[in-house]
Amino acid sequence: MPDPAPPSFPLTHSPWIPARRVDDGTVVELGILRTLGTAHELAGLSADLPTQNAALTRLLLAVLHGALGPADQAAWQALWDADELPVTELASYLDRHAARFDLFHPETPFLQVADLRTAKGEASELSKLIADVPNGVPVFTTRFGGELSLSFAEAARWLVHCMAFDPSGIKSGAAGDDRVKNGKGYPIGVAWTGQIGVVLLEGRTLKETLLLNLLPADDERFRRDLAVDLPTWERPPVTAAAEMPEGRPPTGPVDLYTWPSRRIRLFPDGDRVARVLIANGEKITPQDRFTVEPHSGWRHSENQDRILKRSPVYMPRGHDPDRAVWRGLQALLPAAPEPETPKKGPQRFLSPGIVHRLADLVGDVLPFDHWVRFRTIGMVYGSNESVVDDVVDDVIDLQAVLARHDAVALARTATDCVVAAERACFALGGLAGDLAVAAGGIADGPRGRAREAAFARLDRPFRDWLRTLGPDTDGYAEEIAWHREVRGIVTDSAADLLRDIPPACWAGRTDSRGNLLTAAHAEARFRKNLGAAVPLAFVDADTAA
């Protein structure tokens, strides 16, 4: 019997990208061309993990950039004004690079190295490819039952995800890679997209979402040479070795969207993928990549200033799984005031480049009251960044005017109200801690639980309040309204705490400073701190008017 023909799975046409339809909400799997060609009929992507959606979105953006440019704002505007994306141009582009989009092409398999191997010819089980979340709870790797294998569509999605979000740690040592020692590939860091806190702009359809994140080549913050800033399938195929001994610099955003963080090879068995080989790819450092990475916020790092002996050095601003996105609003909005610091210095935060791009569109292409969703996605790594601990996925809906560079007053209203909410939650936490001490206990646990419970109660109200901020907003009136809402919610929570205290709290205990602390003292301190947190809640209604 002759050897069976090697499998073929052209990602341009084979269904593998899960997307949700606008009309009925059903999820369908589509190839790249149909996903882009029907993007105006799709609400968005619907993959296994939010991080998969982020990686697939950046992949689709790389295809659009490669096929369409766009060369300048006029070309971008034509795409925005059209009812749908130009299928003919997209099909022509994908046909030209068809060999690079076949998952099992014998010479140039998609995002892989065809002859990748170890010295001993080993391969790993597919759990190395799949990001199970949280760490230690194999949600995905156990759902298949029996010996783990993946359909070609599933394997393609996890391949894209691995290239973007793979943890650090020791990898298989690829033959031909000079970095390998004793058969092992020692850590080079988390894959690129896992190093940043992804911020994507979302519209009403996938077409809007992609175009809101698509950068014309003449954008002043990310000026790109269309002949140089290329996706991986337009670059020479990589080998097991690093492209440059010390790592090559990225050429621009499109290069980063498909950055080859790993060398990977999928091993098919019939119509399934059964094994995988994952080795180190291109190392990339995160310092000061804000000129080439538009989908992350940035923070000034004094520690990096000292290490690199220059200032300022900016690092990607990751997302905290325990902190809602609205609490970091100050770092998202270009017009938001800098936090007050005791000394002058470099700007603490840089807003994501894609938000600055949005700011340029508001009032010209987009009306001030156009709704835009900010989606924040990220992975949290543990144990020396070698395992996945958690995934962050959060959204806030804003009227586009808030993103403008001159929306200083409106942005200040929003960020001041975040600060008011945080101070009120800390006031409640202080009450819980004081009551615990008054009862003879320890403050830390009750204080932290009360704060988090207060943030949870304020979460939906703040998101709803934030949606009211628009071009005709009276900032002072809205700030008063928010202070009053916070006062009501936090006061109710305080009443619950005071209602449940033991009698010993009224007699009290001596605190660490030797002062008597009773429930009455705790309540008085709380009311003082709450008054300082939300002073406008106590403004007379007639005076406010």
Side-chain angles (χ1 to χ4, degrees):
M1 295 289 291
D3 292 336
S8 176
F9 193 74
L11 299 176
T12 54
H13 295 84
S14 300
W16 68 287
I17 298 176
R20 190 175 66 261
R21 295 181 59 86
V22 169
D23 53 3
D24 58 9
T26 57
V27 175
V28 293
E29 286 191 4
L30 306 169
I32 294 174
L33 183 59
R34 282 202 66 198
T35 300
L36 295 175
T38 62
H40 57 292
E41 300 173 356
L42 302 173
L45 302 184
S46 186
D48 288 318
L49 285 177
T51 43
Q52 254 192 23
N53 287 333
L56 290 171
T57 298
R58 283 163 68 92
L59 175 73
L60 293 174
L61 287 171
V63 172
L64 286 178
H65 278 299
L68 308 176
D72 51 33
Q73 175 59 22
W76 182 95
Q77 181 75 56
L79 295 171
W80 181 263
D81 292 339
D83 292 335
E84 56 191 70
L85 295 173
V87 177
T88 301
E89 292 177 55
L90 292 168
S92 176
Y93 175 80
L94 291 171
D95 284 346
R96 289 199 304 274
H97 300 285
R100 301 294 294 271
F101 282 96
D102 190 331
L103 195 62
F104 302 110
H105 191 278
E107 297 176 357
T108 57
F110 179 71
L111 295 187
Q112 299 166 74
V113 178
D115 58 352
L116 190 70
R117 60 182 180 83
T118 66
K120 297 181 179 180
E122 305 141 313
S124 301
E125 62 179 1
L126 290 174
S127 60
K128 298 283 187 182
L129 184 69
I130 297 172
D132 268 325
V133 183
N135 179 37
V137 183
V139 176
F140 293 109
T141 52
T142 58
R143 76 177 185 183
F144 303 99
E147 186 175 350
L148 179 61
S149 67
L150 296 171
S151 70
F152 292 166
E154 290 170 322
R157 294 196 294 269
W158 284 115
L159 170 66
V160 173
H161 185 272
C162 181
M163 196 65 78
F165 288 99
D166 191 49
S168 187
I170 295 176
K171 305 298 174 185
S172 297
D177 183 358
D178 293 340
R179 298 169 294 179
V180 172
K181 297 179 181 178
N182 300 319
K184 298 178 180 179
Y186 285 90
I188 63 169
V190 170
W192 172 248
T193 315
Q195 296 188 47
I196 66 175
V198 177
V199 178
L200 293 172
L201 305 178
E202 293 185 343
R204 294 166 295 186
T205 65
L206 179 60
K207 173 181 178 280
E208 279 196 11
T209 294
L210 291 172
L211 292 181
L212 286 173
N213 291 279
L214 196 72
L215 299 167
D218 64 349
D219 183 274
E220 62 180 17
R221 294 169 192 83
F222 301 98
R223 291 188 181 275
R224 299 185 297 111
D225 185 337
L226 295 178
V228 174
D229 184 24
L230 302 172
T232 186
W233 49 82
E234 292 192 53
R235 299 176 62 88
V238 295
T239 65
E243 294 184 58
M244 293 184 180
E246 300 301 321
R248 70 171 179 86
T251 58
V254 179
D255 189 12
L256 286 180
Y257 294 166
T258 58
W259 184 259
S261 298
R262 300 289 182 260
R263 302 292 190 258
I264 305 176
R265 182 182 177 187
L266 300 176
F267 293 88
D269 183 5
D271 62 353
R272 308 279 291 180
V273 171
R275 308 282 283 177
V276 67
L277 179 59
I278 303 174
N280 283 327
E282 299 307 313
K283 181 178 181 179
I284 181 171
T285 55
Q287 291 87 346
D288 290 338
R289 299 295 186 191
F290 58 88
T291 61
V292 287
E293 176 52 72
H295 291 142
S296 182
W298 304 83
R299 59 176 178 82
H300 173 229
S301 171
E302 294 183 354
N303 184 50
Q304 289 295 316
D305 288 353
R306 289 190 291 271
I307 293 173
L308 299 178
K309 295 181 172 56
R310 59 183 172 84
S311 181
V313 177
Y314 287 94
M315 298 288 285
R317 190 171 185 269
H319 304 310
D320 184 345
D322 298 321
R323 188 180 174 91
V325 61
W326 59 264
R327 292 176 60 188
L329 198 60
Q330 189 277 332
L332 279 179
L333 302 180
E338 279 282 292
E340 293 183 8
T341 56
K343 61 179 182 179
K344 292 289 185 180
Q347 190 172 340
R348 280 186 59 188
F349 300 120
L350 301 179
S351 301
I354 201 65
V355 181
H356 286 281
R357 164 69 181 159
L358 173 64
D360 295 338
L361 298 176
V362 179
D364 183 12
V365 177
L366 303 177
F368 288 174
D369 59 355
H370 187 88
W371 288 103
V372 178
R373 171 165 287 181
F374 287 50
R375 183 171 291 275
T376 57
I377 298 173
M379 260 191 169
V380 182
Y381 301 90
S383 185
N384 295 318
E385 298 189 320
S386 63
V387 296
V388 175
D389 275 353
D390 206 349
V391 165
V392 177
D393 179 28
D394 200 354
V395 297
I396 50 171
D397 297 323
L398 303 174
Q399 294 187 50
V401 65
L402 263 171
R404 282 179 59 99
H405 294 104
D406 60 358
V408 176
L410 202 59
R412 182 178 292 277
T413 295
T415 55
D416 283 354
C417 285
V418 171
V419 172
E422 291 189 325
R423 289 176 176 171
C425 290
F426 272 74
L428 184 70
L431 173 63
D434 286 347
L435 292 176
V437 172
I442 299 174
D444 290 351
R447 181 167 53 214
R449 288 191 294 272
R451 285 176 185 167
E452 292 310 309
F455 279 122
R457 290 191 66 180
L458 289 172
D459 186 78
R460 176 48 55 192
F462 186 86
R463 294 171 192 270
D464 292 342
W465 172 85
L466 188 63
R467 288 170 59 90
T468 68
L469 300 187
D472 300 321
T473 292
D474 180 336
Y476 184 60
E478 289 299 330
E479 199 165 353
I480 290 174
W482 175 244
H483 279 219
R484 287 176 177 169
E485 183 149 19
V486 172
R487 176 191 179 188
I489 291 172
V490 173
T491 299
D492 287 347
S493 297
D496 292 340
L497 289 175
L498 289 164
R499 188 180 302 115
D500 296 334
I501 59 176
C505 277
W506 297 107
R509 293 288 191 278
T510 301
D511 64 17
S512 58
R513 297 180 180 179
N515 300 317
L516 179 64
L517 181 59
T518 68
H521 292 111
E523 183 178 7
R525 184 182 298 175
F526 162 73
R527 296 196 178 280
K528 178 181 178 181
N529 290 338
L530 181 62
V534 288
L536 297 182
F538 302 90
V539 172
D540 180 76
D542 294 334
T543 303

